[in-house]
Amino acid sequence: GGKGCVILYLYTAGIRTAGKRIFITYKRQESSMEIQIWRDLLDPYDLAVRELTTKFEHLRYEYKSRGLYCPIEQVTGRVKTISSILDKMQKKQIEMAEIEERMEDIAGIRIICQFVEDIPKVVNMIRSRRDMTVKHEKDYVTHAKTSGYRSYHVIVNYGVELMSGPKTIQAEIQIRTMGMNFWSTIEHSLQYKYKQNIPDHLREKLLKSADAIVVLDSEMSSVRDEIMDAQNSMQH
Ligand code: GTP
Ligand code: MG
């Protein structure tokens, strides 16, 4: 109908104007049209996050229901907020029309493992799946970032089926231990508090803590067999 045509027109215009105009109108907290543009962009990602979360949780369910140890301890997912998309567009000089190609983490899945050894198992599960293809991987587990951040990142292409038909979108899957997650959650809060400029004395403490997490993870690995024995005997 007529309304649909108007929205479609503005959506195209919005894409062409790129970055800035959308930014300004959004900041003025404008019309439902602007909201519709964002909704059209983000809805497929919302579906992807919900599907992927369900699929990984289901894997966990399968392991558990067979009384097996599961390399996946917990799964969370989120769609990047509009304000954080806008921040990243500014920071990385990404135009509105390039968002879907260049912003790999609009759909974010986080898989938490108990042990470091579980991480490659989860990565292999992802590599062998037929419903997603790996675009690239970043191993911050063996090569920690200078901040001390550790995690294994897999960027995948994932297909969703929408009202308008099929669409392939990118999703960032972060795989990390509970220890790594503890560290990055705290560090993230500090980044937020200090607007990315964490004071030196806290940076030092964070680096020390990151080292302590490496030790903790490997200590936990060394008692891993005993924990698994205990879990198995609980089930029998
Ligand atoms: P962004 O960091 O997302 O802008 O993109 P990038 O291309 O640099 O990718 P990278 O692999 O460095 O980071 C992707 C994601 O990993 C981030 O969005 C964070 O969720 C997480 N991450 C990366 N570095 C750090 C870090 O130093 N601390 C914390 N807490 N998280 C990090
Ligand atoms: Mg980064």
Side-chain angles (χ1 to χ4, degrees), residues 98-122:
E98 305 173 301
I99 290 183
E100 297 202 82
E101 179 56 36
R102 292 184 55 196
M103 218 172 283
E104 295 171 327
D105 67 336
I106 298 175
I109 303 294
R110 191 166 287 163
I111 298 178
I112 314 294
C113 308
Q114 291 190 13
F115 304 103
V116 184
E117 290 74 18
D118 297 331
I119 296 175
K121 288 182 197 159
V122 174

Side-chain angles (χ1 to χ4, degrees), residues 78 80 88 91-92 104-105 110 138 140 145 147-149 151 153 172 174 176 183-185 187-189 191 203:
R78 65 100 184 93
K80 206 174 183 72
K88 197 162 173 173
K91 207 176 79 188
K92 301 210 164 181
E104 295 171 327
D105 67 336
R110 191 166 287 163
K138 287 183 190 168
Y140 300 132
K145 296 187 78 161
S147 60
Y149 176 77
S151 248
H153 293 184
E172 180 181 82
Q174 302 181 338
R176 50 170 79 149
W183 186 94
S184 63
T185 302
E187 197 256 7
H188 186 262
S189 315
Q191 270 188 44
R203 267 284 155 224

Side-chain angles (χ1 to χ4, degrees), residues 18 26 30 55 67-68 86 99 116 153 180 190 204-205 209:
Y26 173 72
E30 286 287 279
K55 286 177 174 185
L68 297 169
L86 291 168
I99 290 183
V116 184
H153 293 184
M180 295 171 195
L190 287 170
E204 267 170 51
K205 283 194 188 192
S209 317

